[in-house]
Amino acid sequence: MSYVASPEEISVFSKWSSKPEFSQEGIAVEFRTTEEFVKSVLPPGFEPAAEPKGSILLSSMESKLCGEFDCTLVTIDAIFKGITGKYCLEMLISGDTPVTWGREVWGETKKTGITRLYRSGNHRYAYAERNGVRLIEIEGEFGDDLPEEVLKGHQFEIKAYPNLKGTGMQWEPIVDTLEVTEHKTRQSLGKGSVTMRVTTANPLHTIPIKSVGQLEYVSGLAEHTVVGEDELGAGHSYLPYLIGRHYDDLREFKVGLQWISQRLAAKEREMVVERHFASA
């Protein structure tokens, strides 16, 4: 490949970007939160779903588009233009191309992170880590395999960029509506625990989790197809949602003495709080 892509390379990029298939192995769990929280984090144009629910997925993935990578998703259920789907709050991904492609092409909220899964008999354990902190851990005992299943749903991404000075939006945000078809070739249910560790650099602690459901182990193909591209209609008012989901607090980073007065105190940066939840 050269610095100017050939017609063949452009064709491959376009074809594979249009329908990137993923294979996944992961542990998922649904949680219940509050309607007030859901309303507070949804941008203009989105509505809360019928129930204030969300989900956590810790997984390893492969894609014909970008190879193998780790993936952690934290989403809440929302409605856009009459369609119910998942609105992503947190997305931790390993690898340069998986992160870059997702942020630039679909506008995903991807940040770099590590996800690991381990199995021993019916016992399974997974964790998601960023900046040296295991932010999420899921552990449990799982039952026998359930029959194969194919489920269809939707996921929303918002393609948006700040302007050159970071004072507003470069252009009107675009909502990508993805149809997701999950082929659950292997799946089983389990009971166990969910642990969340939160720091000042990560807003997971702002999610008021009231309860969590059963743990679910799943493995199989996941197809994502763009079925809608709509202007959000929020203009510059989308900026707080963009910064909150896509970027860390810039005051968190260790810097030289000349800027230290503009930063958070070291004690604040290092704060770690644990929260534990038992599955249903």
Side-chain angles (χ1 to χ4, degrees), residues 7-81:
E8 181 182 2
E9 290 164 344
I10 293 172
S11 176
V12 168
F13 183 87
S14 300
K15 182 179 179 180
W16 291 6
S17 294
S18 296
K19 193 172 183 179
E21 296 176 339
F22 303 90
S23 64
Q24 63 178 359
E25 179 183 28
I27 300 175
V29 61
E30 288 191 347
F31 63 84
R32 190 173 189 87
T33 183
T34 67
E35 187 173 344
E36 291 74 22
F37 171 76
V38 174
K39 288 180 178 179
S40 73
V41 295
L42 289 178
F46 280 80
E47 305 171 33
E51 296 185 75
K53 291 183 177 180
S55 63
I56 300 169
L57 171 68
L58 274 58
S59 66
S60 60
M61 291 193 175
E62 293 178 308
S63 171
K64 69 178 183 181
L65 175 74
C66 56
E68 58 189 24
F69 61 95
D70 306 339
C71 177
T72 288
L73 298 176
V74 180
T75 64
I76 55 172
D77 295 346
I79 298 173
F80 180 74
K81 289 190 176 295

Coordinates of all heavy atoms in Angstrom, one line a residue, residues 7-81:
P7 N -7.0 2.0 -6.9 CA -8.4 1.7 -7.0 C -8.9 0.4 -6.3 O -9.9 0.3 -5.8 CB -8.6 1.6 -8.6 CG -7.5 2.5 -9.1 CD -6.4 2.3 -8.1
E8 N -8.0 -0.6 -6.4 CA -8.3 -1.9 -5.7 C -8.4 -1.7 -4.2 O -9.3 -2.3 -3.6 CB -7.3 -3.0 -6.1 CG -7.5 -4.3 -5.4 CD -6.5 -5.3 -5.8 OE1 -5.5 -5.0 -6.4 OE2 -6.6 -6.5 -5.3
E9 N -7.4 -1.0 -3.6 CA -7.4 -0.8 -2.2 C -8.7 0.1 -1.8 O -9.2 -0.2 -0.7 CB -6.1 -0.1 -1.8 CG -4.9 -1.0 -1.9 CD -3.6 -0.2 -1.8 OE1 -3.6 1.0 -2.1 OE2 -2.6 -0.9 -1.6
I10 N -9.0 1.0 -2.6 CA -10.2 1.8 -2.3 C -11.5 0.9 -2.3 O -12.4 1.0 -1.5 CB -10.4 3.0 -3.3 CG1 -9.3 4.0 -3.1 CG2 -11.7 3.7 -3.1 CD1 -9.2 5.1 -4.1
S11 N -11.5 0.0 -3.3 CA -12.7 -0.9 -3.4 C -12.8 -1.8 -2.2 O -13.9 -2.0 -1.7 CB -12.5 -1.7 -4.7 OG -13.5 -2.7 -4.8
V12 N -11.6 -2.3 -1.7 CA -11.7 -3.2 -0.5 C -12.1 -2.4 0.7 O -13.0 -2.8 1.5 CB -10.3 -3.8 -0.3 CG1 -10.2 -4.4 1.1 CG2 -9.9 -4.8 -1.4
F13 N -11.6 -1.2 0.9 CA -12.0 -0.3 2.0 C -13.5 -0.1 2.0 O -14.1 -0.2 3.0 CB -11.2 1.0 2.0 CG -11.5 1.9 3.2 CD1 -10.7 1.7 4.4 CD2 -12.5 2.8 3.1 CE1 -11.0 2.5 5.5 CE2 -12.7 3.6 4.2 CZ -12.0 3.5 5.4
S14 N -14.0 0.3 0.8 CA -15.4 0.6 0.7 C -16.3 -0.6 1.0 O -17.3 -0.5 1.7 CB -15.7 1.2 -0.7 OG -14.9 2.4 -0.9
K15 N -15.9 -1.7 0.4 CA -16.7 -2.9 0.5 C -16.7 -3.5 1.9 O -17.8 -3.8 2.5 CB -16.2 -4.0 -0.4 CG -17.0 -5.3 -0.4 CD -16.4 -6.3 -1.4 CE -17.2 -7.6 -1.4 NZ -16.6 -8.6 -2.3
W16 N -15.6 -3.5 2.6 CA -15.5 -4.1 3.9 C -16.0 -3.1 4.9 O -16.5 -3.5 6.0 CB -14.1 -4.5 4.2 CG -13.6 -5.6 3.4 CD1 -14.3 -6.3 2.4 CD2 -12.4 -6.3 3.5 NE1 -13.6 -7.3 1.9 CE2 -12.4 -7.4 2.6 CE3 -11.2 -6.2 4.3 CZ2 -11.3 -8.2 2.4 CZ3 -10.2 -7.0 4.2 CH2 -10.2 -8.1 3.2
S17 N -15.9 -1.8 4.7 CA -16.5 -0.8 5.6 C -18.0 -0.8 5.5 O -18.7 -0.4 6.5 CB -16.0 0.6 5.3 OG -14.6 0.7 5.5
S18 N -18.6 -1.2 4.4 CA -20.1 -1.2 4.2 C -20.7 -2.2 5.1 O -21.9 -2.0 5.6 CB -20.4 -1.4 2.8 OG -19.9 -0.3 2.0
K19 N -20.1 -3.4 5.3 CA -20.7 -4.4 6.1 C -19.6 -5.2 6.8 O -19.2 -6.3 6.4 CB -21.5 -5.3 5.2 CG -22.4 -6.3 6.1 CD -23.4 -7.0 5.2 CE -24.4 -7.9 6.1 NZ -25.4 -8.6 5.3
P20 N -19.0 -4.6 7.9 CA -18.0 -5.3 8.6 C -18.5 -6.4 9.5 O -19.3 -6.1 10.5 CB -17.3 -4.2 9.4 CG -18.4 -3.2 9.6 CD -19.3 -3.3 8.4
E21 N -18.2 -7.6 9.3 CA -18.7 -8.7 10.2 C -17.8 -8.9 11.3 O -16.5 -8.8 11.2 CB -18.9 -10.0 9.3 CG -20.0 -9.9 8.3 CD -20.1 -11.1 7.4 OE1 -19.1 -11.9 7.4 OE2 -21.1 -11.3 6.8
F22 N -18.3 -9.3 12.4 CA -17.5 -9.6 13.6 C -17.8 -11.0 14.2 O -19.0 -11.4 14.2 CB -17.8 -8.5 14.7 CG -17.6 -7.1 14.2 CD1 -18.6 -6.4 13.6 CD2 -16.3 -6.5 14.4 CE1 -18.4 -5.1 13.2 CE2 -16.1 -5.2 14.0 CZ -17.1 -4.5 13.4
S23 N -16.8 -11.7 14.7 CA -17.0 -12.9 15.5 C -16.7 -12.5 16.9 O -15.8 -11.7 17.1 CB -16.2 -14.0 15.0 OG -14.8 -13.8 15.2
Q24 N -17.5 -13.0 17.9 CA -17.3 -12.5 19.2 C -17.4 -13.7 20.2 O -18.1 -14.7 20.0 CB -18.3 -11.5 19.6 CG -19.8 -12.0 19.6 CD -20.7 -10.9 20.0 OE1 -20.4 -9.8 20.3 NE2 -22.0 -11.2 20.0
E25 N -16.7 -13.6 21.3 CA -16.8 -14.4 22.5 C -16.9 -13.5 23.7 O -15.9 -12.7 23.8 CB -15.7 -15.4 22.6 CG -15.9 -16.3 23.8 CD -14.7 -17.3 24.1 OE1 -13.6 -17.0 23.6 OE2 -14.9 -18.3 24.7
G26 N -17.9 -13.6 24.4 CA -18.0 -12.6 25.5 C -19.0 -13.0 26.6 O -19.7 -13.9 26.5
I27 N -18.9 -12.1 27.7 CA -19.9 -12.2 28.8 C -20.6 -10.9 28.8 O -20.0 -9.9 28.9 CB -19.2 -12.5 30.1 CG1 -18.4 -13.8 30.0 CG2 -20.2 -12.6 31.3 CD1 -17.5 -14.1 31.3
A28 N -22.0 -11.0 28.9 CA -22.8 -9.9 28.9 C -23.7 -9.9 30.1 O -24.0 -11.0 30.7 CB -23.6 -9.8 27.6
V29 N -24.1 -8.7 30.6 CA -25.1 -8.7 31.7 C -25.9 -7.4 31.5 O -25.4 -6.3 31.1 CB -24.4 -8.7 33.0 CG1 -23.5 -7.5 33.2 CG2 -25.4 -8.7 34.2
E30 N -27.2 -7.5 31.7 CA -28.1 -6.4 31.7 C -28.2 -5.7 33.0 O -28.0 -6.4 34.1 CB -29.5 -6.8 31.2 CG -29.6 -7.1 29.7 CD -31.1 -7.2 29.3 OE1 -32.0 -7.3 30.2 OE2 -31.3 -7.3 28.1
F31 N -28.4 -4.4 33.1 CA -28.6 -3.8 34.4 C -29.8 -2.8 34.3 O -30.2 -2.4 33.2 CB -27.3 -3.0 34.8 CG -26.9 -1.9 33.9 CD1 -27.5 -0.6 34.0 CD2 -25.9 -2.1 32.9 CE1 -27.1 0.4 33.2 CE2 -25.5 -1.1 32.1 CZ -26.1 0.2 32.2
R32 N -30.3 -2.5 35.4 CA -31.4 -1.5 35.5 C -30.9 -0.3 36.2 O -30.2 -0.3 37.2 CB -32.6 -2.1 36.3 CG -33.8 -1.3 36.2 CD -35.0 -2.0 36.9 NE -36.3 -1.3 36.6 CZ -37.0 -1.5 35.6 NH1 -36.7 -2.4 34.7 NH2 -38.2 -0.9 35.4
T33 N -31.2 0.9 35.6 CA -30.8 2.2 36.1 C -32.0 3.0 36.4 O -33.1 2.5 36.6 CB -29.8 2.8 35.2 OG1 -29.4 4.1 35.8 CG2 -30.4 3.1 33.8
T34 N -31.9 4.3 36.4 CA -33.1 5.2 36.6 C -33.4 6.0 35.3 O -32.6 6.3 34.5 CB -32.8 6.2 37.7 OG1 -31.8 7.1 37.3 CG2 -32.3 5.5 39.0
E35 N -34.7 6.3 35.2 CA -35.1 7.1 34.1 C -34.5 8.4 34.1 O -34.2 9.0 33.0 CB -36.7 7.2 34.1 CG -37.2 7.8 32.8 CD -38.7 7.8 32.8 OE1 -39.3 7.0 33.5 OE2 -39.3 8.6 32.0
E36 N -34.3 9.0 35.3 CA -33.6 10.3 35.4 C -32.2 10.3 34.8 O -31.8 11.2 34.1 CB -33.6 10.8 36.8 CG -35.0 11.1 37.4 CD -35.8 9.8 37.7 OE1 -35.2 8.8 37.9 OE2 -37.0 10.0 37.8
F37 N -31.5 9.2 35.1 CA -30.1 9.1 34.6 C -30.1 9.0 33.0 O -29.4 9.7 32.3 CB -29.4 7.9 35.2 CG -28.1 7.7 34.5 CD1 -27.0 8.5 34.7 CD2 -27.9 6.7 33.6 CE1 -25.7 8.3 34.1 CE2 -26.7 6.4 32.9 CZ -25.6 7.2 33.2
V38 N -31.0 8.2 32.5 CA -31.1 8.0 31.1 C -31.4 9.3 30.4 O -30.7 9.7 29.4 CB -32.1 6.9 30.7 CG1 -32.3 6.8 29.2 CG2 -31.7 5.5 31.3
K39 N -32.3 10.0 30.9 CA -32.7 11.3 30.3 C -31.5 12.3 30.4 O -31.3 13.1 29.4 CB -33.9 11.9 31.0 CG -35.2 11.3 30.8 CD -36.3 12.0 31.5 CE -37.7 11.3 31.2 NZ -38.8 12.0 32.0
S40 N -30.7 12.2 31.4 CA -29.6 13.2 31.6 C -28.4 13.0 30.6 O -27.7 13.9 30.4 CB -29.1 13.1 33.0 OG -28.3 11.9 33.3
V41 N -28.3 11.7 30.1 CA -27.1 11.5 29.3 C -27.5 11.4 27.8 O -26.6 11.3 26.9 CB -26.4 10.2 29.7 CG1 -25.8 10.3 31.1 CG2 -27.3 8.9 29.6
L42 N -28.8 11.4 27.5 CA -29.2 11.3 26.1 C -29.2 12.7 25.4 O -29.7 13.6 26.0 CB -30.6 10.7 25.9 CG -30.7 9.2 26.2 CD1 -32.1 8.7 26.1 CD2 -29.8 8.4 25.3
P43 N -28.6 12.8 24.2 CA -28.6 14.1 23.6 C -29.9 14.5 23.0 O -30.8 13.6 22.9 CB -27.5 13.9 22.5 CG -27.6 12.5 22.2 CD -27.9 11.8 23.5
P44 N -30.1 15.7 22.6 CA -31.4 16.1 22.0 C -31.7 15.2 20.7 O -30.7 14.8 20.0 CB -31.1 17.6 21.5 CG -30.1 18.1 22.4 CD -29.2 16.9 22.8
G45 N -32.9 14.9 20.6 CA -33.3 14.0 19.5 C -33.5 12.5 19.9 O -34.1 11.8 19.2
F46 N -32.9 12.2 21.1 CA -33.1 10.8 21.6 C -34.1 10.8 22.7 O -34.2 11.8 23.5 CB -31.8 10.3 22.1 CG -30.9 9.7 21.0 CD1 -30.1 10.6 20.2 CD2 -30.8 8.4 20.7 CE1 -29.3 10.1 19.2 CE2 -30.0 7.9 19.7 CZ -29.2 8.8 19.0
E47 N -34.8 9.7 22.9 CA -35.7 9.5 24.0 C -35.4 8.3 24.8 O -34.8 7.3 24.2 CB -37.2 9.4 23.5 CG -37.6 10.5 22.6 CD -39.0 10.1 21.9 OE1 -39.8 9.4 22.6 OE2 -39.2 10.5 20.8
P48 N -35.7 8.2 26.1 CA -35.5 7.0 26.8 C -36.4 5.8 26.3 O -37.5 6.1 25.8 CB -35.9 7.4 28.3 CG -35.9 8.8 28.3 CD -36.2 9.3 26.9
A49 N -35.9 4.6 26.4 CA -36.7 3.5 26.0 C -37.8 3.2 27.0 O -37.9 3.9 28.0 CB -35.8 2.2 25.9
A50 N -38.6 2.2 26.8 CA -39.8 2.0 27.7 C -39.3 1.7 29.1 O -40.0 2.1 30.0 CB -40.6 0.8 27.1
E51 N -38.2 1.1 29.3 CA -37.7 0.8 30.6 C -36.2 1.3 30.7 O -35.5 1.2 29.7 CB -37.7 -0.7 30.9 CG -39.1 -1.3 31.0 CD -39.1 -2.8 31.4 OE1 -38.8 -3.0 32.6 OE2 -39.2 -3.6 30.5
P52 N -35.8 1.8 31.9 CA -34.4 2.3 32.0 C -33.4 1.2 32.2 O -33.0 0.9 33.3 CB -34.6 3.2 33.3 CG -35.6 2.5 34.1 CD -36.6 2.0 33.1
K53 N -33.0 0.6 31.1 CA -32.1 -0.5 31.1 C -30.9 -0.3 30.3 O -30.9 0.6 29.4 CB -32.8 -1.8 30.6 CG -33.9 -2.4 31.5 CD -34.5 -3.6 30.9 CE -35.5 -4.2 31.8 NZ -36.1 -5.5 31.2
G54 N -29.8 -1.0 30.7 CA -28.6 -1.0 29.9 C -27.9 -2.3 29.9 O -28.5 -3.3 30.4
S55 N -26.8 -2.4 29.3 CA -26.0 -3.7 29.3 C -24.5 -3.4 29.3 O -24.1 -2.4 28.9 CB -26.5 -4.5 28.1 OG -26.1 -3.8 26.9
I56 N -23.8 -4.4 29.7 CA -22.4 -4.5 29.7 C -21.9 -5.7 29.0 O -22.4 -6.8 29.2 CB -21.8 -4.5 31.2 CG1 -22.3 -3.3 32.0 CG2 -20.3 -4.6 31.2 CD1 -22.0 -3.4 33.5
L57 N -21.0 -5.5 28.1 CA -20.4 -6.7 27.3 C -18.9 -6.6 27.4 O -18.3 -5.6 27.1 CB -20.8 -6.6 25.9 CG -20.1 -7.6 24.9 CD1 -20.5 -9.0 25.3 CD2 -20.4 -7.3 23.5
L58 N -18.3 -7.7 27.9 CA -16.8 -7.8 27.9 C -16.5 -9.0 26.9 O -17.0 -10.1 27.1 CB -16.3 -8.2 29.3 CG -16.0 -7.0 30.2 CD1 -17.2 -6.1 30.4 CD2 -15.4 -7.5 31.5
S59 N -15.7 -8.7 25.8 CA -15.5 -9.7 24.8 C -14.2 -9.6 24.1 O -13.5 -8.6 24.2 CB -16.7 -9.6 23.8 OG -16.6 -8.3 23.1
S60 N -13.9 -10.7 23.4 CA -12.8 -10.7 22.4 C -13.5 -10.8 21.0 O -14.4 -11.6 20.9 CB -11.8 -11.8 22.7 OG -12.4 -13.0 22.6
M61 N -12.9 -10.1 20.0 CA -13.6 -10.1 18.7 C -12.6 -10.3 17.6 O -11.4 -10.0 17.8 CB -14.4 -8.8 18.5 CG -15.6 -8.7 19.4 SD -16.7 -7.3 18.8 CE -18.1 -7.5 19.9
E62 N -13.1 -10.7 16.5 CA -12.3 -10.7 15.2 C -13.2 -10.1 14.2 O -14.4 -10.2 14.2 CB -11.9 -12.1 14.8 CG -10.9 -12.8 15.7 CD -10.6 -14.2 15.3 OE1 -11.5 -15.0 15.1 OE2 -9.4 -14.5 15.1
S63 N -12.6 -9.5 13.2 CA -13.3 -8.9 12.1 C -12.6 -9.0 10.8 O -11.3 -8.8 10.8 CB -13.6 -7.4 12.4 OG -14.2 -6.7 11.2
K64 N -13.3 -9.2 9.7 CA -12.6 -9.2 8.4 C -12.1 -7.8 8.0 O -11.2 -7.7 7.2 CB -13.6 -9.7 7.3 CG -14.7 -8.7 7.0 CD -15.6 -9.2 5.9 CE -16.7 -8.2 5.5 NZ -17.6 -8.7 4.4
L65 N -12.6 -6.8 8.7 CA -12.2 -5.4 8.5 C -10.9 -5.1 9.1 O -10.0 -4.5 8.5 CB -13.3 -4.5 9.0 CG -13.0 -3.0 8.9 CD1 -13.1 -2.5 7.4 CD2 -14.0 -2.2 9.7
C66 N -10.7 -5.5 10.4 CA -9.6 -5.0 11.2 C -8.9 -6.0 12.1 O -8.2 -5.7 13.0 CB -10.0 -3.8 12.0 SG -11.4 -4.1 13.2
G67 N -9.2 -7.3 11.8 CA -8.5 -8.3 12.6 C -9.1 -8.5 14.0 O -10.2 -8.3 14.3
E68 N -8.2 -9.0 14.9 CA -8.6 -9.3 16.2 C -8.4 -8.1 17.1 O -7.5 -7.3 17.0 CB -7.8 -10.5 16.8 CG -6.3 -10.3 16.8 CD -5.5 -11.5 17.1 OE1 -6.0 -12.6 16.8 OE2 -4.4 -11.4 17.5
F69 N -9.4 -8.0 18.1 CA -9.3 -6.9 19.1 C -10.1 -7.2 20.3 O -11.0 -8.1 20.3 CB -9.7 -5.6 18.5 CG -11.1 -5.6 18.0 CD1 -12.2 -5.1 18.8 CD2 -11.4 -6.0 16.7 CE1 -13.5 -5.0 18.3 CE2 -12.7 -6.0 16.2 CZ -13.8 -5.5 17.0
D70 N -9.8 -6.5 21.4 CA -10.6 -6.6 22.6 C -11.7 -5.6 22.5 O -11.6 -4.6 21.9 CB -9.8 -6.3 23.9 CG -8.5 -7.1 24.0 OD1 -8.5 -8.2 23.4 OD2 -7.6 -6.7 24.7
C71 N -12.9 -5.9 23.2 CA -14.0 -5.0 23.1 C -14.8 -5.0 24.4 O -15.2 -6.1 24.9 CB -14.9 -5.4 22.0 SG -16.4 -4.4 21.8
T72 N -15.0 -3.9 25.0 CA -15.9 -3.7 26.1 C -16.9 -2.6 25.8 O -16.6 -1.5 25.3 CB -15.2 -3.3 27.4 OG1 -14.4 -4.4 27.9 CG2 -16.1 -2.9 28.5
L73 N -18.2 -2.9 26.0 CA -19.3 -2.0 25.7 C -20.1 -1.8 26.9 O -20.5 -2.7 27.6 CB -20.2 -2.5 24.6 CG -19.6 -2.7 23.2 CD1 -20.6 -3.4 22.3 CD2 -19.1 -1.5 22.6
V74 N -20.5 -0.5 27.2 CA -21.5 -0.2 28.2 C -22.5 0.7 27.5 O -22.2 1.8 27.0 CB -20.9 0.6 29.4 CG1 -22.0 0.9 30.4 CG2 -19.8 -0.2 30.1
T75 N -23.8 0.2 27.4 CA -24.8 0.9 26.7 C -26.1 1.1 27.5 O -26.3 0.4 28.5 CB -25.2 0.1 25.4 OG1 -25.7 -1.2 25.8 CG2 -23.9 -0.1 24.5
I76 N -26.9 2.0 27.1 CA -28.2 2.1 27.6 C -29.2 2.1 26.5 O -28.9 2.4 25.3 CB -28.4 3.4 28.4 CG1 -28.1 4.7 27.5 CG2 -27.6 3.4 29.7 CD1 -28.4 6.0 28.2
D77 N -30.5 1.6 26.8 CA -31.5 1.5 25.8 C -32.1 2.9 25.5 O -32.4 3.7 26.4 CB -32.6 0.6 26.2 CG -32.1 -0.9 26.3 OD1 -31.0 -1.1 25.8 OD2 -32.8 -1.7 26.9
A78 N -32.3 3.2 24.2 CA -32.8 4.5 23.8 C -33.6 4.4 22.6 O -33.6 3.4 21.9 CB -31.7 5.5 23.6
I79 N -34.3 5.5 22.2 CA -35.2 5.5 21.0 C -34.8 6.7 20.2 O -34.6 7.8 20.7 CB -36.7 5.6 21.4 CG1 -37.1 4.4 22.2 CG2 -37.5 5.8 20.1 CD1 -38.5 4.5 22.7
F80 N -34.6 6.5 18.9 CA -34.3 7.6 17.9 C -35.2 7.3 16.7 O -35.2 6.3 16.1 CB -32.8 7.6 17.5 CG -32.5 8.7 16.5 CD1 -32.4 10.0 17.0 CD2 -32.3 8.4 15.2 CE1 -32.1 11.0 16.0 CE2 -32.0 9.4 14.3 CZ -31.9 10.7 14.7
K81 N -36.0 8.3 16.4 CA -36.9 8.3 15.2 C -37.8 7.0 15.3 O -38.0 6.3 14.3 CB -36.2 8.4 13.9 CG -35.6 9.8 13.7 CD -35.1 9.9 12.2 CE -34.6 11.3 12.0 NZ -35.7 12.3 12.0

